[in-house]
Amino acid sequence: MVATKPELLATAASLEELSLLADAGADAFVIGESRFGARLPGEFGLEQIGEAVRIARGSERRPRIYAAVNNLMDNRTVGELPAYLGRLAEIGVDAIVFGDPSVLMAAREAAPQLRLHWNAEMTSTSYAQADYWGKRGASRIVLARELNMEQIVEVKQRTSLEVQVQVHGMTNIYHSKRSLVDSYLGHLGKAPEQVDSALGQGLFLMEADRRDERYPIYQDAYGTYMMSSDDICMIENLHELLEAGIDSLRVEGLMKTPAYNETVVRAYRAAIDAYAADPAGYRFDPSWLAAIRRVQDPSRELSYGFFYKEQVY
Amino acid sequence: MGMTMNKPRYQGKRYRLDRPELLAPAGNLEKLKFAVHYGADAVYIGGQKYGLRSGADNFSFEEMREGVEFAARYGAKVFVATNIYAHNEDIDGLEAYLRKLEEVGIAAIIAADPAIVETAQRVAPGLEVHLSTQQSVLNWRTVQFWKEEGLPRVVLARETSLEEIAEIKSHVDIEIEAFIHGAMCSSFSGRCVLSNHFTDRDSNRGGCCQSCRWKYDLYVDGDTIAEGEEQMFTMGSKDLCMIRHIPELIDVGVDSFKIEGRMKSLHYVATIVNAYRQAIDAYFADPDGYELRPEWLEEVHKAANRPLNTGFFFDTPGTEDHIYEPEEKAAPYDFAGVVLEYDEQTGLAVVQQRNHFKPGQEIEFFGPGGTFFKQTVDELRDREGNRLDAARHPLQEIVLRVAEPVRPMDMMRKRIR
Ligand code: SF4
């Protein structure tokens, strides 16, 4: 029996990386610009998004292009949303990703034909929430990375929406509207200009009792982001998600080089294809993980994230 | 930065005649009664499930019923926080729980998870649904979305400024609730899973262990930016305090003034409610002649356990709005007792002990509406008339002479520094 293949979803920092990862086997990309989208590896203005759509249509795999419109919006930005979404619809993106209901309001008004993916990151936590956004027009729910396998599988069984989970890379663990790095520099008597705290500048936090963990931190115009100290890596147990019929598997490319992301996409591509060709005879191939390990930053552990954890509260 | 005094443009353009609601937290039934007695128009509490303060005592349905009855005598309402983001396994039992809240007379739930919002609307239509700050609502379009979904009230993100609130109110006719006092996440509410990562405790289901207030070191180019252990910093925020800005909050149209703190003490709740109640009433008694009374501010500082600021209302918080070093308890006062009885003839009061006190100590009594006096502790006796060298036992009933008349539910605090 041949299984239906889930989508392998990637991010990209540039058009070049997008082409590279499309060739490596990505089925879809999330791209956008920081005015509307949060925690993006690179800036894609409307023109670049248009170019990405053209590249995608012209390539053999014909990957889908999703636009990230997932900021927590303020009054000023919501005024710009209808025009922006209208342009995205004209360009022909395959869906938009959102986590603030103002985007849904703007889409209803300016671009009702756009497909909508609900992604509020840590707060997308149940099948009931999936159904809620489904009834209001979303076709996909992107689940919180803090859910475990059992919960993910149950969401998939109980909702009719497409279900997306992150299978690889870092996650955002804290988002503040404050400029926390600048504030702390001020406390130390330093000017904010003395330290470049933007994405990719290598700043990290260490917590007093966890000195072997490095939590990347960066700032932009919308606040401060703290990221996980480890990278999720589900390649060994991917079959559990494939058996469950999860619709989209995301590899997060934030703060990684194109070469790293290419290796990761190839590994997951191989696993997904192998499973689809023969689900019953599928075996995890250790060389997939070995390839990832070769490019993995040794200070960042590969982990199962919350997939096998029981949390208390 | 947080204290910048650039006057918003709507200053002085007073159009509000209706009084905003003063909404207070209550971690248990006793706190509920005191919050209402000290002037809260509504209180919010947590039940046994679905609330974000799994560490608070939280109410049984029986206690809720009693709280609702007590509040009703003052014309006050009781809300229940059902503000977790539910996981699959939390959904079973939700309907029965919400129906029960409606049945015991709860006026509203405060919910963040749309699944809880929708379930409440379907199974317990007598409950109002207020959208929690955990949804981090910052803009009028999102407020409009929730209005169209049938919600009468939205609690805005703590990151909204006065100017932004005014703009939201100008676009959407809906009740706006805003936090005006108490502790704050330094992150957007709901957008922090530090506790999940550090300790496997789920912050969005009440498991937060205040990880932002732990100690961190910042590394730049692979090296720590500060020298020495003492330079490690916390990411904690100072606490919010808007008592100086009651007229601005009223003018922009905030409908409910919310005090944070279901985990806070009885003394804290009574003191803070008392101060804001007086400020709001003074404003409505004479808007043009309104002035901040220094004693309100003093009272607030007696309960505060962290340094205070004005959050995002005027400007994005900057360097001086955070707490970098381990915190010291700010207030030089401690809660000491609650007045149970007073005898006009003898001038003796019966006080229930809440903290150690003894003859010679400086104490003060306060009650609703700002009644206040100081005295020194004189002789102490128990109910049987035996002389005591100190009030040592929690809840012990102590007889002492008071310098001025007091009423049941007045409170007594002692100076500790
Ligand atoms: S750790 Fe701090 S910022 Fe995070 S949820 Fe807890 S109190 Fe809020």
Side-chain angles (χ1 to χ4, degrees):
Chain A
M1 193 197 92
V2 177
T4 49
K5 284 189 199 184
E7 164 187 285
L8 179 57
L9 174 66
T11 59
S14 65
L15 287 167
E16 293 70 45
E17 184 176 0
L18 186 136
S19 298
L20 180 74
L21 301 187
D23 291 344
D27 299 311
F29 291 91
V30 180
I31 54 176
E33 60 182 298
S34 55
R35 216 154 43 105
F36 301 102
R39 295 173 287 279
L40 299 163
E43 289 287 312
F44 285 77
L46 283 168
E47 223 165 285
Q48 283 84 16
I49 294 176
E51 191 53 35
V53 170
R54 273 188 294 281
I55 292 173
R57 300 261 157 85
S59 82
E60 203 188 322
R61 296 198 69 85
R62 299 181 66 83
R64 291 175 284 279
I65 303 294
Y66 305 144
V69 195
N70 62 329
N71 266 352
L72 287 170
M73 304 294 169
D74 58 17
N75 282 332
R76 193 171 39 83
T77 316
V78 292
E80 300 166 13
L81 276 175
Y84 184 67
L85 298 187
R87 290 287 294 124
L88 288 174
E90 278 166 32
I91 287 168
V93 298
D94 297 280
I96 59 165
V97 182
F98 77 111
D100 185 315
S102 60
V103 179
L104 183 62
M105 299 289 277
R108 283 173 182 168
E109 171 192 319
Q113 71 278 32
L114 275 178
R115 287 176 79 80
L116 303 167
H117 296 176
W118 174 253
N119 183 3
E121 301 209 3
M122 41 275 261
T123 66
S124 300
T125 48
S126 74
Y127 66 86
Q129 214 191 112
D131 289 346
Y132 183 92
W133 294 112
K135 275 183 242 163
R136 283 149 189 85
S139 60
R140 174 181 296 189
I141 180 145
V142 181
L143 291 180
R145 280 78 51 111
E146 292 74 29
L147 298 187
N148 65 28
M149 186 66 84
E150 218 176 298
Q151 292 167 328
I152 291 167
V153 171
E154 192 187 347
V155 172
K156 176 59 197 167
Q157 285 165 351
R158 297 184 74 157
T159 184
S160 57
L161 270 69
E162 294 172 359
V163 173
Q164 179 186 315
V165 299
Q166 181 174 334
V167 292
H168 197 94
M170 70 169 62
T171 62
N172 176 240
I173 63 175
Y174 173 96
H175 176 200
S176 173
K177 196 186 177 188
R178 302 155 188 256
S179 302
L180 286 169
V181 176
D182 288 355
S183 294
Y184 178 50
L185 291 172
H187 172 68
L188 294 176
K190 295 181 199 292
E193 303 76 50
Q194 281 177 261
V195 172
D196 187 349
S197 53
L199 177 67
Q201 294 306 307
L203 270 60
F204 62 87
L205 289 181
M206 213 173 254
E207 197 276 320
D209 293 328
R210 292 169 178 71
R211 295 194 181 258
D212 46 350
E213 310 277 336
R214 300 173 170 196
Y215 298 91
I217 184 169
Y218 70 97
Q219 278 182 178
D220 66 15
Y222 303 89
T224 308
Y225 311 86
M226 195 170 156
M227 310 300 292
S228 62
S229 62
D230 50 8
D231 288 315
I232 298 173
C233 176
M234 283 301 287
I235 189 88
E236 272 178 280
N237 296 353
L238 202 65
H239 60 279
E240 293 179 35
L241 293 164
L242 298 170
E243 272 160 27
I246 302 302
D247 302 278
S248 177
L249 307 170
R250 173 167 173 150
V251 300
E252 175 60 65
L254 192 69
M255 292 194 209
K256 306 284 194 232
T257 62
Y260 176 92
N261 290 330
E262 185 192 4
T263 304
V264 170
V265 167
R266 281 192 193 287
Y268 284 88
R269 177 78 275 150
I272 293 167
D273 289 350
Y275 183 87
D278 179 12
Y282 175 83
R283 289 281 170 280
F284 163 68
D285 178 344
S287 74
W288 300 331
L289 181 56
I292 294 173
R293 283 203 188 286
R294 274 195 294 279
V295 290
Q296 181 69 18
D297 174 350
S299 72
R300 294 183 58 81
E301 216 175 302
L302 293 171
S303 82
Y304 294 122
F306 288 89
F307 279 96
Y308 304 107
K309 275 188 185 168
E310 277 303 330
Q311 293 182 80
V312 294
Y313 50 94
Chain B
M1 266 160 92
M3 295 295 283
T4 318
M5 287 294 136
N6 54 336
K7 288 267 192 281
R9 59 182 149 63
Y10 35 81
Q11 245 280 312
K13 212 179 76 188
R14 201 178 59 246
Y15 60 88
R16 283 277 300 275
L17 293 171
D18 53 324
R19 228 167 259 248
E21 166 188 281
L22 181 59
L23 174 58
N28 60 31
L29 191 54
E30 185 182 44
K31 292 175 191 174
L32 179 151
K33 290 178 178 174
F34 276 78
V36 169
H37 183 70
Y38 277 75
D41 301 302
V43 292
Y44 63 101
I45 64 174
Q48 302 294 328
K49 282 157 81 180
Y50 303 110
L52 268 186
R53 292 288 175 274
S54 48
D57 328 1
N58 294 328
F59 284 64
S60 67
F61 291 121
E62 247 348 280
E63 290 169 320
M64 283 184 195
R65 204 188 292 274
E66 191 182 335
V68 168
E69 277 164 19
F70 182 91
R73 297 210 284 276
Y74 291 77
K77 292 180 195 160
V78 180
F79 305 157
V80 170
T82 54
N83 51 352
I84 65 161
Y85 280 96
H87 290 203
N88 299 336
E89 62 272 24
D90 304 317
I91 305 288
D92 292 334
L94 178 61
E95 292 188 5
Y97 181 79
L98 294 169
R99 283 202 188 95
K100 195 77 192 162
L101 294 183
E102 184 182 27
E103 187 197 310
V104 300
I106 297 302
I109 58 164
I110 306 167
D113 188 328
I116 297 180
V117 169
E118 193 179 48
T119 307
Q121 290 175 326
R122 183 163 47 80
V123 305
L127 281 177
E128 276 191 11
V129 181
H130 299 170
L131 192 78
S132 161
T133 197
Q134 298 296 118
Q135 270 282 350
S136 291
V137 175
L138 296 166
N139 71 74
W140 67 267
R141 273 294 224 172
T142 297
V143 172
Q144 191 180 42
F145 171 83
W146 293 110
K147 181 184 160 91
E148 289 177 14
E149 289 292 330
L151 277 65
R153 182 186 294 196
V154 168
V155 190
L156 294 177
R158 288 182 175 86
E159 286 76 8
T160 347
S161 70
L162 279 179
E163 210 125 1
E164 287 170 321
I165 295 172
E167 193 175 345
I168 289 168
K169 287 292 285 191
S170 76
H171 283 284
V172 193
D173 182 18
I174 191 170
E175 289 173 13
I176 292 294
E177 179 175 312
F179 279 95
I180 48 115
H181 196 94
M184 293 183 275
C185 282
S186 58
S187 72
F188 280 107
S189 298
R191 267 62 177 185
C192 167
V193 287
L194 292 180
S195 299
N196 305 55
H197 278 260
F198 293 164
T199 61
D200 291 342
R201 294 174 61 91
D202 189 358
S203 15
N204 280 328
R205 285 190 292 174
C208 157
C209 39
Q210 307 251 317
S211 314
C212 63
R213 301 190 186 274
W214 298 0
K215 286 166 87 187
Y216 297 89
D217 215 346
L218 175 65
Y219 283 72
V220 179
D221 298 327
D223 237 331
T224 170
I225 185 140
E227 291 93 46
E229 172 76 11
E230 67 283 359
Q231 280 290 9
M232 291 190 94
F233 71 110
T234 82
M235 297 196 293
S237 167
K238 288 186 180 173
D239 284 4
L240 182 62
C241 173
M242 287 294 284
I243 188 106
R244 292 172 181 277
H245 305 285
I246 298 296
E248 290 102 306
L249 288 165
I250 291 171
D251 285 358
V252 299
V254 176
D255 299 278
S256 177
F257 289 14
K258 183 175 202 166
I259 298 165
E260 177 277 343
R262 284 196 282 129
M263 309 282 276
K264 294 287 196 329
S265 71
L266 186 64
H267 170 248
Y268 179 94
V269 172
T271 303
I272 302 296
V273 168
N274 204 11
Y276 280 93
R277 176 78 280 152
Q278 291 173 67
I280 295 168
D281 289 350
Y283 178 84
F284 279 95
D286 178 13
D288 295 318
Y290 175 84
E291 262 181 59
L292 178 83
R293 306 263 301 263
E295 55 266 34
W296 301 335
L297 211 54
E298 276 167 36
E299 282 292 298
V300 163
H301 282 284
K302 284 174 189 170
N305 27 23
R306 293 200 188 101
L308 304 171
N309 74 4
T310 56
F312 285 79
F313 281 107
F314 298 99
D315 207 345
T316 299
T319 291
E320 61 275 31
D321 296 303
H322 293 96
I323 299 171
Y324 303 95
E325 328 262 328
E327 301 159 31
E328 261 176 46
K329 191 180 181 317
Y333 290 87
D334 241 346
F335 183 28
V338 176
V339 175
L340 300 179
E341 295 166 24
Y342 172 66
D343 185 338
E344 260 175 73
Q345 312 294 301
T346 60
L348 293 175
V350 181
V351 169
Q352 188 183 57
Q353 195 263 34
R354 294 307 174 98
N355 255 313
H356 183 281
F357 60 94
K358 60 174 195 276
Q361 241 172 348
E362 192 187 311
I363 53 170
E364 50 190 56
F365 286 88
F366 68 96
T371 61
F372 179 84
F373 64 91
K374 285 177 195 276
Q375 70 172 64
T376 309
V377 180
D378 191 6
E379 197 177 275
L380 298 180
R381 291 184 186 272
D382 65 13
R383 283 270 200 188
E384 285 71 46
N386 302 311
R387 223 166 139 161
L388 303 170
D389 64 334
R392 302 182 180 282
H393 307 293
L395 305 185
Q396 188 180 10
E397 296 179 1
I398 309 278
V399 182
L400 78 162
R401 186 169 304 282
V402 287
E404 293 180 25
V406 288
R407 290 162 299 178
M409 294 181 87
D410 280 3
M411 293 188 132
M412 181 183 126
R413 57 166 90 93
K414 61 174 181 177
R415 204 184 168 91
I416 52 172
R417 282 202 290 277

